[in-house]
Amino acid sequence: MDTVCACLVVLCVLALTCRAVPVNVRAFTAINDRPIIGIAAQETAPNTTYGDTYIPATYVKYLESAGARVVPVLAGEPESYYNDLFSKINGVLFPGGGVSLTESQYARTGRIMYNLTLQAAARGDLFPLWGTCLGFQLLNTITAGKNLLQATDADNLTMPLQFSPDYTNSRLFGKVPKDVYQYLAHESVTQNEHQYGMLLEVFQKHKELYNFYHVLSTNVGRKGKRFVSTFEAFKYPIYGVQWHPEKNAFNWNPHYVINHDDHAIRVAQYFANFFVDEARKSGHRFQSAQDEAMALIDNYTLHYFPDGTFYENYYFNFTRRA
């Protein structure tokens, strides 16, 4: 019996040792001063004049302003492409846009990178994800396993955040400077551009969401619907905002109500700096400087639209460069 008991104890210890445990996000420090972050491309349909997919330049500039370089995460590629790219870059940003959260190639990219991030965390390998607007909605949809969005009527609406009581008990806001907090809490510095969102009451009814994400702020749309506006995963380096920090400094379309004052720019820079600092904790590397150089978004053509919208986009095709 003693031998049997001893064997059982050994097996239990081995089981506990081998169990996948999320990485301790707070314990990581910067190890990489050359961070490279991927931005997910999304479909341009129905208008494919310039390419099948695109990435708005605002997100590229946003990350570069904090000291990162950018690689496009192309859509419609074989899964081996994403596995390989994941091993070389230091994070992924899912930008805003207007494609399906379940059926698009953008959504497929999101699911693959999300699963790779969780798998990496189980190995003690930190790899951060960030979702903005549509990207935030994508993170909700992937985690919940279905699209739970409802109408919010928060299109072209700029407002302050309404912080959760425990917002300081977070990585994203735990060390927020006093001035940035004051701007976020009391000034219209967060630009919303969405008709749908994750209603707080819906979020709280789904344990897949409330057990996974820490709600850091909410907001109310024009029709009185309270939606989640900022969150971070409890145990993973995953962050999401329903609003657009990149627009404050880099979107000059006069049809949008965007705050461009110095306080709004300070806010935008805080979030860019935070996410790039998270990417600096990733030790992923390209195999050579040449491999790195050929992957950067600088290899692609930037299209500028001088039609009064001031849009700048990078366009791609599914199987070849634009």
Side-chain angles (χ1 to χ4, degrees):
M1 286 294 293
D2 290 342
T3 302
V4 173
C5 289
C7 290
L8 288 173
V9 169
V10 170
L11 288 173
C12 289
V13 171
L14 286 173
L16 290 171
T17 303
C18 296
R19 183 179 297 164
V21 178
V23 64
N24 183 351
V25 182
R26 293 183 186 270
F28 271 67
T29 57
I31 59 174
N32 179 8
D33 286 332
R34 297 175 61 88
I36 298 176
I37 297 175
I39 299 179
Q42 63 186 283
E43 293 91 326
T44 59
N47 183 2
T48 59
T49 301
Y50 299 97
D52 299 319
T53 61
Y54 77 103
I55 292 173
T58 50
Y59 295 94
V60 178
K61 295 177 180 181
Y62 173 74
L63 294 176
E64 289 179 342
S65 75
R69 287 174 296 162
V70 170
V71 165
V73 182
L74 302 177
E77 297 291 330
E79 194 159 344
S80 58
Y81 160 85
Y82 301 101
N83 290 327
D84 178 64
L85 186 61
F86 184 89
S87 70
K88 296 174 178 178
I89 60 178
N90 308 112
V92 171
L93 185 152
F94 301 111
V99 297
S100 170
L101 294 170
T102 56
E103 303 301 324
S104 65
Q105 289 298 323
Y106 172 85
R108 175 175 174 265
T109 298
R111 289 191 296 270
I112 293 172
M113 288 297 180
Y114 179 96
N115 289 332
L116 288 173
T117 293
L118 268 56
Q119 292 166 19
R123 302 191 300 268
D125 176 12
L126 184 143
F127 187 93
L129 300 180
W130 182 283
T132 294
C133 197
L134 182 73
F136 171 84
Q137 296 172 355
L138 178 63
L139 291 174
N140 278 280
T141 300
I142 294 171
T143 304
K146 54 187 173 181
N147 186 344
L148 296 171
L149 302 183
Q150 294 190 24
T152 56
D153 192 8
D155 186 43
N156 201 14
L157 182 62
T158 302
M159 50 191 166
L161 296 180
Q162 297 178 12
F163 283 94
S164 300
D166 61 345
Y167 76 95
T168 57
N169 186 27
S170 67
R171 302 182 301 278
L172 185 56
F173 291 125
K175 297 181 179 180
V176 63
K178 290 183 179 179
D179 65 326
V180 174
Y181 168 76
Q182 290 297 324
Y183 305 152
L184 283 166
H186 303 293
E187 300 181 16
S188 295
V189 293
T190 67
Q191 203 269 347
N192 290 261
E193 198 65 39
H194 56 98
Q195 293 285 357
Y196 296 86
M198 175 54 65
L199 300 188
L200 181 61
E201 61 182 285
V202 175
F203 181 95
Q204 293 172 334
K205 292 178 181 177
H206 289 82
K207 63 180 181 180
E208 300 89 350
L209 293 173
Y210 71 72
N211 285 338
F212 193 89
Y213 293 115
H214 180 188
V215 174
L216 305 180
S217 75
T218 60
N219 279 100
V220 178
R222 293 185 180 91
K223 294 183 178 180
K225 297 290 187 178
R226 182 169 297 278
F227 59 89
V228 178
S229 53
T230 309
F231 66 29
E232 68 180 24
F234 285 110
K235 297 180 180 180
Y236 298 96
I238 302 176
Y239 308 88
V241 291
Q242 181 62 84
W243 46 281
H244 287 269
E246 82 292 342
K247 287 185 183 290
N248 294 356
F250 299 112
N251 188 306
W252 297 96
N253 189 331
H255 299 103
Y256 292 126
V257 180
I258 302 172
N259 191 338
H260 296 295
D261 70 15
D262 59 334
H263 293 180
I265 302 306
R266 173 89 164 102
V267 163
Q269 195 65 54
Y270 172 78
F271 290 99
N273 290 344
F274 176 88
F275 185 57
V276 172
D277 281 344
E278 289 293 281
R280 289 190 175 99
K281 299 173 185 178
S282 166
H284 296 189
R285 293 285 196 280
F286 282 84
Q287 294 179 352
S288 68
Q290 182 63 24
D291 187 22
E292 179 181 293
M294 292 303 296
L296 295 174
I297 201 165
D298 307 78
N299 291 286
Y300 297 86
T301 301
L302 177 63
H303 293 264
Y304 171 60
F305 296 90
D307 56 2
T309 63
F310 305 103
Y311 278 130
E312 294 179 289
N313 291 330
Y314 291 91
Y315 289 92
F316 317 91
N317 290 319
F318 285 124
T319 56
R320 60 182 175 84
R321 290 184 177 174

